[in-house]
Amino acid sequence: MVHFVGAGPGAADLITVRGRNLLEKADIIIYAGSLVNKELLCCARKDCEIYDSSGMTLEEVIGVIAENADKETVRLHTGDPSIYGAIREQIDALDRLGIKYDVCPGVSSMFGASAAIGAEYTLPGVSQSVIITRMAGRTPVPERESIELLSSHGASMVIFLSAGMLEELSARLISGGYRKDSPAAIVYKATWDDEKTVMTTVGDLAADAAEQGINRTALVLVGDFLGRDYERSKLYDPGFSHGYRREQK
Ligand code: SAH
């Protein structure tokens, strides 16, 4: 049995209780060494075999799992496994081998980042949608999902895997409809001890990141949800009734 587990964004106590229980019981742990906090490995059993997948291929990862098919393996991914986690190809390989699996969700870095700056992505009167995307790099992005096209919605945007391409990101956001002075934030290593947050604008993304020495392990947040203006929620509005509360006159 294989358990895909979300390790959370960084801080070791942001793994779920279920994820931690699975780590404590595992015979084998294969963790994404580039971004998973190694403190999490402290709760592994003494006789647990631990592999860092950062230097391994998909075939090697599946090889370790297959050799230990009768054991409990935890495949530990950073954040939530469903976001840029490359779990689908592993799941398909396990299906072909007839090995059972389940997935334990994790706190994505996009939530570590919003927590770090106290932001709400879905701000009434501003945006009710969040676009999770990345710049095309060595991994291509479909043309219909270009930053320009996605920017035209004016929705809240969370841009992964792009901290090394901020000049280009900024130019594309602007050609898609954001203003140079539209609010943006860069959150480096959200929830880690060396977390850094930079409140900036779309036009100043590259300069401000360079000043802070940030070029990786960061998220770029863009949108007016980072600005000052919004409407108050209906949910807690005294003049609004819903299933749990009557309007107050
Ligand atoms: N599954 C992960 C994302 C993996 S892709 C998740 O849900 O968070 C790796 C990218 O995620 C990095 O390049 C960076 O853009 C972002 N990232 C991961 N951890 C981060 C953190 N603690 N702070 C900021 N960005 C992070």
Side-chain angles (χ1 to χ4, degrees):
M1 178 86 188
V2 179
H3 307 281
F4 292 93
V5 174
D13 57 353
L14 282 175
I15 192 169
T16 61
V17 174
R18 182 186 295 181
R20 181 158 176 132
N21 287 341
L22 288 166
L23 276 182
E24 284 171 0
K25 283 195 222 125
D27 300 303
I28 316 273
I29 296 174
I30 308 173
Y31 73 104
S34 52
L35 279 173
V36 166
N37 190 337
K38 292 188 185 47
E39 265 179 50
L40 283 170
L41 303 174
C42 298
C43 66
R45 283 185 358 225
K46 288 232 157 47
D47 60 343
C48 175
E49 273 177 49
I50 299 181
Y51 297 83
D52 175 355
S53 65
S54 57
M56 295 165 77
T57 61
L58 170 64
E59 287 71 13
E60 287 167 342
V61 168
I62 299 300
V64 170
I65 293 173
E67 276 164 32
N68 297 285
D70 54 332
K71 302 194 182 141
E72 294 285 309
T73 296
V74 166
R75 177 71 174 104
L76 190 60
H77 284 272
T78 179
D80 182 85
S82 70
I83 302 287
Y84 304 114
I87 59 166
R88 174 63 190 269
E89 60 193 20
Q90 299 174 70
I91 284 173
D92 285 348
L94 298 183
D95 278 341
R96 284 193 291 274
L97 293 167
I99 298 173
K100 289 208 173 65
Y101 61 85
D102 60 16
V103 182
C104 172
V107 177
S108 172
S109 60
M110 67 177 280
F111 302 119
S114 51
I117 59 172
E120 177 177 349
Y121 289 119
T122 52
L123 208 47
V126 176
S127 170
Q128 290 292 288
S129 311
V130 186
I131 294 175
I132 298 165
T133 190
R134 60 172 298 170
M135 289 268 287
R138 286 198 290 173
T139 301
V141 171
E143 191 44 45
R144 60 182 185 277
E145 295 172 20
S146 70
I147 297 286
E148 287 87 337
L149 283 174
L150 298 179
S151 303
S152 67
H153 294 279
S156 304
M157 287 180 80
V158 181
I159 303 158
F160 282 77
L161 294 158
S162 306
M165 298 177 262
L166 293 179
E167 296 267 7
E168 187 184 342
L169 174 62
S170 186
R172 288 170 160 240
L173 287 164
I174 292 167
S175 80
Y178 281 102
R179 303 174 314 273
K180 262 191 170 162
D181 65 351
S182 292
I186 304 164
V187 183
Y188 168 78
K189 293 192 81 175
T191 81
W192 289 80
D193 288 340
D194 49 349
E195 168 187 290
K196 282 187 204 169
T197 62
V198 184
M199 302 309 293
T200 179
T201 59
V202 167
D204 287 338
L205 278 170
D208 283 350
E211 197 180 301
Q212 297 290 324
I214 300 172
N215 57 15
R216 57 204 289 258
T217 326
L219 288 175
V220 178
L221 313 183
V222 177
D224 286 327
F225 74 102
L226 297 166
R228 270 191 329 206
D229 300 331
Y230 63 95
E231 289 166 13
R232 65 173 287 173
S233 69
K234 298 273 187 243
L235 188 60
Y236 296 107
D237 181 339
F240 188 78
S241 302
H242 57 69
Y244 294 92
R245 185 173 57 71
R246 305 202 66 157
E247 117 188 56
Q248 295 169 12
K249 296 253 160 75

